């Protein structure tokens, strides 16, 4: 059987090719050579591009067996997503590949503005020695305002806090609890503009956000304030910015993105390049070796998943829909919850409700139902389980599956619960969430017991009558066997009632020791859970 053909249309790192593995026929073409590209697409099952290759309607029409277009980067301006969707072609990108690079470049612009580094360098390189002309300002105890507290905004907050700054933010979709986790104070946009010494914008470009920083907003800023845009050209009104910079309305600006790239002669972007109080870079947000390699490896993995029939978390047009970036981190969490559920179930599953509570209520979370089914069946059927065959496995076993969504989540921003009925008439539920800036996957509930424990590879779950000395019993037995307990949570309904103990251990526990501990504590439920990584 011939191998699927993967077409590489632009230069990618060796690590990208390695990530594809040996299961594909790799072909190369110059994506900017249009006739050569169209010819090569005729037999391609997947094509990998950066930004120079246009995959438009003509290219898609020339690719009758194409299944995946993979953009090794973030932007998709060179891919016709609508036509691809109509043709049944999946489009994937690497949405998180450049976030650290973009955050670091933003901080670089802030520092360069504060200390006039580019101008001082040019002056000295030109033979002048003008120390007094380039007196700058410290970041210490200054206020940095971040417009858009998403992944990049959060990374910037952490970095500028190290300089002793006060960080404030405007983001209508971020809760005060989330901001508090980041050490950031939420303000209205007007309040942020009025209070900040440095302002950096990190919003998506939409009709609503285009030109959101205009002359009215700049007039609210301090005359000593600096404005930075490393996100999207057009978020700042360039004509208004030129006026503010030339009239002394604000002190300066750092720009990596423009409304036209490269800036065209006579355009609003081009006028900004000649100003002495502007620092510019040619859209370098993702231009690091690390970001480029991450992007290539990420889309290579996506291609492998897509051609293998699995769901691809970084796909932007799965089944004609979209997996929102806010939903994506929940996919591996729900898979793990499915594995935990299956390990705890003591009889066959007859029905399963996938309950999504909290802010995710506002998004399409249908993919989480697939993730739950994949997790449930991963370790209990002999065949390989994918997002494609998991619903079929449920149907074959007579398992009814529902997706239930609401906004009720009083303790966490989001909680996902798998609640199932078993064939013996009992019910079982497991709940999980993502916490903190690193989106740590946590188990937060089993049946009616509330816990909070990071999900790791090896867990032991015990249910027993609460009484003194039980923890010492199993702690001693595991310790004598060389099993290290890395984490533990205990929950109970009331003193002397049933207690649930969930342990994280560093290595698997053999069956003989498990039976010994079970007997020693007279456990009503005793399960070892091994999480299989997808």
């Amino acid at each position: 059987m011939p191998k699927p053909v993967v077409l590489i249309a632009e230069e990618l790192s060796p690590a990208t090719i390695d990530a594809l593995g040996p299961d594909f026929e790799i072909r190369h073409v110059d994506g900017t050579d249009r006739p050569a590209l169209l010819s090569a697409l005729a037999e391609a099952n997947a094509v990998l591009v950066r930004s120079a290759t246009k995959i438009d309607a003509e290219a898609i029409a020339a690719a009758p067996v194409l299944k995946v277009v993979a953009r090794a980067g973030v932007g998709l301006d060179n891919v016709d997503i609508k036509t691809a969707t109509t043709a049944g072609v999946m489009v994937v990108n690497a949405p998180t590949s450049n976030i650290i690079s973009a955050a670091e470049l933003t901080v670089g612009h802030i520092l360069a503005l504060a200390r006039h580094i580019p101008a001082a360098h040019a002056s000295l390189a030109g033979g002048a020695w003008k120390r007094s002309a380039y007196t700058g300002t410290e970041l210490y105890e200054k206020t940095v305002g971040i417009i858009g507290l998403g992944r990049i905004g959060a990374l910037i907050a952490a970095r500028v806090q190290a300089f002793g700054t006060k960080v404030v933010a405007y983001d209508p979709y971020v809760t005060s609890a989330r901001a508090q986790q980041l050490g950031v104070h939420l303000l209205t946009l007007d309040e942020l503009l009025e209070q900040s010494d440095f302002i950096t914008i990190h919003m998506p470009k939409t009709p609503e956000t285009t030109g959101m920083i205009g002359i009215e907003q700049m007039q609210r800023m301090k005359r000593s304030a600096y404005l930075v845009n490393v996100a999207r050209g057009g978020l700042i009104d360039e004509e208004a910015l030129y006026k503010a910079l030339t009239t002394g309305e604000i002190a300066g600006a750092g720009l990596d993105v423009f409304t036209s790239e490269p800036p065209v002669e006579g355009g609003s972007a081009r006028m900004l390049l000649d100003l002495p109080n502007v620092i510019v870079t040619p859209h370098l947000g993702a231009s690091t070796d690390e970001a480029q390699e991450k992007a290539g490896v990420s889309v290579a993995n996506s291609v492998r998943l897509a051609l293998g029939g699995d769901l691809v978390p970084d796909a932007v047009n799965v089944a004609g829909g979209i997996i929102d970036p806010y939903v994506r981190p929940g996919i591996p969490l729900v898979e793990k919850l499915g594995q935990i559920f299956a390990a705890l179930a003591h009889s066959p599953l007859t029905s399963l409700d996938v309950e999504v509570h909290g802010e995710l209520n506002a998004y399409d979370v249908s993919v989480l139902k697939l993730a739950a089914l994949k997790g449930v069946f991963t370790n209990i059927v002999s065949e390989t389980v994918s997002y494609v065959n998991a619903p079929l496995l449920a149907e074959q076993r007579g398992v009814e599956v529902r997706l239930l969504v609401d906004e009720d989540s009083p303790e966490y921003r989001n909680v996902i619960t798998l609640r199932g009925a078993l064939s013996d008439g009992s019910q079982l539920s497991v709940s999980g969430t993502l916490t903190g800036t690193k989106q740590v996957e946590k188990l937060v509930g089993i049946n009616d017991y509330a816990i909070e424990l990071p999900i790791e590879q090896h867990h032991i779950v015990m249910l027993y009558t609460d009484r003194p000395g039980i923890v010492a019993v199993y702690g001693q037995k595991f310790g004598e066997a060389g099993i290290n307990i890395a984490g533990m949570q205990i929950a109970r309904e009331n003193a002397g009632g049933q207690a649930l103990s969930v342990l994280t251990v560093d290595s698997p526990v053999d069956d003989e020791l498990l039976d010994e501990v079970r007997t020693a504590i007279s456990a009503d439920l005793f399960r070892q859970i091994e999480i299989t990584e997808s």
Side-chain angles (χ1 to χ4, degrees):
M1 183 176 178
K3 295 180 178 181
V5 174
V6 175
L7 183 64
I8 310 293
E10 296 183 51
E11 185 176 352
L12 297 170
S13 69
T16 302
I17 308 301
D18 292 342
L20 284 168
D23 299 327
F24 306 104
E25 180 184 342
I26 309 298
R27 299 181 185 177
H28 296 267
V29 68
D30 179 356
T32 61
D33 183 338
R34 193 67 176 177
L37 173 66
L38 296 177
S39 176
L41 282 170
E43 297 181 349
N45 299 108
V47 58
L48 275 69
V49 303
R50 285 201 185 279
S51 58
T53 303
K54 285 194 175 296
I55 304 296
D56 52 16
E58 181 187 31
I60 293 168
V65 295
L66 188 65
K67 296 290 186 291
V68 191
V69 175
R71 160 73 164 100
V74 179
L76 288 162
D77 295 340
N78 56 322
V79 179
D80 187 335
I81 298 174
K82 184 177 180 180
T83 299
T85 302
T86 301
V89 176
M90 182 181 292
V91 178
V92 303
N93 66 347
T96 63
S97 59
N98 73 333
I99 59 174
I100 291 175
S101 295
E104 290 181 353
L105 180 62
T106 300
V107 177
H109 269 275
I110 291 172
L111 288 168
L113 287 165
R115 301 306 299 271
H116 310 296
I117 294 171
H121 165 82
S123 175
L124 182 56
W129 185 268
K130 299 180 178 179
R131 294 177 64 193
S132 61
Y134 300 108
T135 301
T137 183
E138 292 181 347
L139 265 62
Y140 180 64
E141 293 187 339
K142 299 300 189 298
T143 298
V144 176
I146 301 174
I147 302 174
L149 197 59
R151 288 171 296 190
I152 294 175
L155 290 171
I156 292 165
R159 283 152 178 75
V160 298
Q161 283 164 347
F163 288 93
T165 64
K166 174 185 177 183
V167 181
V168 298
Y170 164 74
D171 193 318
Y173 303 105
V174 169
T175 65
S176 57
R178 167 66 172 161
Q180 189 174 9
Q181 287 178 339
L182 298 172
V184 175
H185 183 54
L186 287 179
L187 300 175
T188 66
L189 180 57
D190 286 348
E191 289 170 338
L192 180 147
L193 294 168
E194 292 165 358
Q195 296 180 24
S196 299
D197 300 294
F198 296 88
I199 296 172
T200 177
I201 184 167
H202 300 278
M203 299 289 281
K205 187 178 180 182
T206 66
E208 292 75 24
T209 61
T210 298
M212 68 178 292
I213 305 299
I215 191 63
E216 181 182 340
Q217 287 72 35
M218 294 176 204
Q219 287 172 347
R220 290 184 176 275
M221 293 170 59
K222 299 178 181 179
R223 296 180 73 85
S224 59
Y226 295 93
L227 184 59
V228 176
N229 185 10
V230 182
R232 292 285 184 270
L235 295 176
I236 298 174
D237 182 329
E238 290 173 339
E239 292 183 359
L241 179 59
Y242 182 86
K243 181 178 179 181
L245 290 167
T246 53
T247 61
E249 198 74 55
I250 64 174
L255 305 172
D256 185 55
V257 289
F258 308 89
T259 52
S260 60
E261 296 183 359
V264 296
E265 197 64 40
S268 57
R270 181 64 184 83
M271 295 190 304
L272 293 167
L273 306 188
D274 298 324
L275 297 181
N277 51 349
V278 174
I279 293 171
V280 292
T281 47
H283 204 147
L284 299 180
S287 295
T288 63
D289 291 337
E290 293 84 356
Q292 296 298 312
E293 183 157 307
K294 288 175 193 172
V297 171
S298 173
V299 296
N301 289 332
S302 292
V303 165
R304 291 181 59 206
L305 289 171
L307 294 182
D310 276 335
L311 178 118
V312 183
D314 287 336
V316 298
N317 66 337
V318 176
I322 294 174
I323 301 177
D324 193 276
Y326 190 63
V327 178
R328 288 174 185 164
I331 295 172
L333 166 67
V334 175
E335 276 197 42
K336 293 181 177 71
L337 291 178
Q339 293 186 43
I340 294 169
F341 183 100
L344 293 175
H346 52 267
S347 63
L349 178 67
T350 59
S351 68
L352 179 68
D353 287 346
V354 181
E355 302 173 2
V356 181
H357 307 285
E359 296 174 6
L360 283 168
N361 172 67
Y363 299 84
D364 179 358
V365 293
S366 53
V367 65
L368 299 182
K369 183 168 77 170
L370 297 177
L373 289 174
K374 184 172 185 289
V376 166
F377 291 117
T378 288
N379 295 321
I380 63 175
V381 300
S382 57
E383 66 241 66
T384 300
V385 182
S386 72
Y387 286 94
V388 175
N389 68 3
L392 180 61
L393 292 170
E395 182 180 349
Q396 290 171 342
R397 287 158 177 77
V399 179
E400 298 178 4
V401 186
R402 298 188 302 172
L403 176 65
L404 307 175
V405 182
D406 63 45
E407 61 184 14
D408 185 25
S409 181
E411 294 189 28
Y412 301 94
R413 294 179 68 190
N414 298 290
V415 171
I416 300 167
T417 297
L418 307 190
R419 190 182 310 277
L422 307 182
S423 61
D424 65 354
S426 64
Q427 290 203 342
L428 172 67
S429 68
V430 297
S431 301
T433 191
L434 298 164
T435 64
T437 58
K438 295 183 178 179
Q439 295 285 274
V440 176
E441 298 170 339
K442 289 187 177 180
L443 181 64
V444 297
I446 295 177
N447 290 333
D448 295 324
Y449 296 92
I451 55 175
E452 186 172 330
L453 190 73
I455 298 175
E456 302 290 354
Q457 186 176 1
H458 310 290
H459 291 289
I460 296 172
V461 178
M462 300 173 276
L463 186 66
Y464 50 84
T465 300
D466 186 31
R467 57 197 187 276
I470 294 295
V471 174
V473 171
Y474 62 67
Q476 180 180 0
K477 289 189 176 294
F478 285 134
E480 290 174 348
I483 302 297
N484 185 57
I485 298 175
M488 179 172 66
Q489 279 273 290
I490 299 176
R492 65 182 186 180
E493 296 174 342
N494 49 64
Q498 292 276 283
L500 178 83
S501 178
V502 183
L503 309 183
T504 303
V505 292
D506 287 342
S507 57
V509 181
D510 64 59
D511 291 339
E512 184 178 347
L513 179 58
L514 291 173
D515 287 336
E516 183 181 341
V517 176
R518 178 189 296 111
T519 301
I521 66 172
S522 301
D524 299 309
L525 170 72
F526 200 98
R527 293 281 192 279
Q528 178 168 224
I529 298 172
E530 298 289 302
I531 300 296
T532 302
E533 293 290 340
S534 297

